[in-house]
mmCIF file of all heavy atoms in Angstrom:
data_model
loop_
_atom_site.group_PDB
_atom_site.id
_atom_site.type_symbol
_atom_site.label_atom_id
_atom_site.label_comp_id
_atom_site.label_asym_id
_atom_site.label_seq_id
_atom_site.Cartn_x
_atom_site.Cartn_y
_atom_site.Cartn_z
ATOM 1 N N ALA A 1035 -7.596 -7.894 -11.377
ATOM 2 C CA ALA A 1035 -6.880 -7.083 -10.342
ATOM 3 C C ALA A 1035 -6.691 -5.687 -10.849
ATOM 4 O O ALA A 1035 -6.891 -4.711 -10.101
ATOM 5 C CB ALA A 1035 -5.596 -7.760 -9.940
ATOM 6 N N SER A 1115 21.165 76.597 10.218
ATOM 7 C CA SER A 1115 20.402 77.406 11.160
ATOM 8 C C SER A 1115 21.353 78.402 11.857
ATOM 9 O O SER A 1115 20.998 79.582 12.025
ATOM 10 C CB SER A 1115 19.696 76.521 12.146
ATOM 11 O OG SER A 1115 19.018 77.305 13.118
ATOM 12 N N ARG A 1169 32.038 92.032 15.064
ATOM 13 C CA ARG A 1169 31.845 91.675 13.659
ATOM 14 C C ARG A 1169 32.896 90.747 13.168
ATOM 15 O O ARG A 1169 32.620 89.787 12.431
ATOM 16 C CB ARG A 1169 31.878 92.982 12.858
ATOM 17 C CG ARG A 1169 31.648 92.802 11.385
ATOM 18 C CD ARG A 1169 31.499 94.118 10.714
ATOM 19 N NE ARG A 1169 30.258 94.780 11.133
ATOM 20 C CZ ARG A 1169 30.010 96.048 10.973
ATOM 21 N NH1 ARG A 1169 30.925 96.843 10.461
ATOM 22 N NH2 ARG A 1169 28.878 96.527 11.373
ATOM 23 N N THR A 1214 22.505 29.352 -1.935
ATOM 24 C CA THR A 1214 22.089 28.013 -1.412
ATOM 25 C C THR A 1214 20.617 27.970 -1.204
ATOM 26 O O THR A 1214 19.940 26.974 -1.528
ATOM 27 C CB THR A 1214 22.840 27.721 -0.132
ATOM 28 O OG1 THR A 1214 24.252 27.757 -0.363
ATOM 29 C CG2 THR A 1214 22.458 26.324 0.386
ATOM 30 N N GLN A 1238 -3.286 9.800 -16.815
ATOM 31 C CA GLN A 1238 -3.363 9.461 -18.202
ATOM 32 C C GLN A 1238 -3.497 7.946 -18.360
ATOM 33 O O GLN A 1238 -4.346 7.449 -19.146
ATOM 34 C CB GLN A 1238 -2.165 9.908 -18.973
ATOM 35 C CG GLN A 1238 -2.210 11.429 -19.348
ATOM 36 C CD GLN A 1238 -1.148 11.766 -20.351
ATOM 37 O OE1 GLN A 1238 0.008 11.367 -20.210
ATOM 38 N NE2 GLN A 1238 -1.471 12.511 -21.397
#
Side-chain angles (χ1 to χ4, degrees):
S1115 176
R1169 183 173 291 163
T1214 302
Q1238 280 191 316

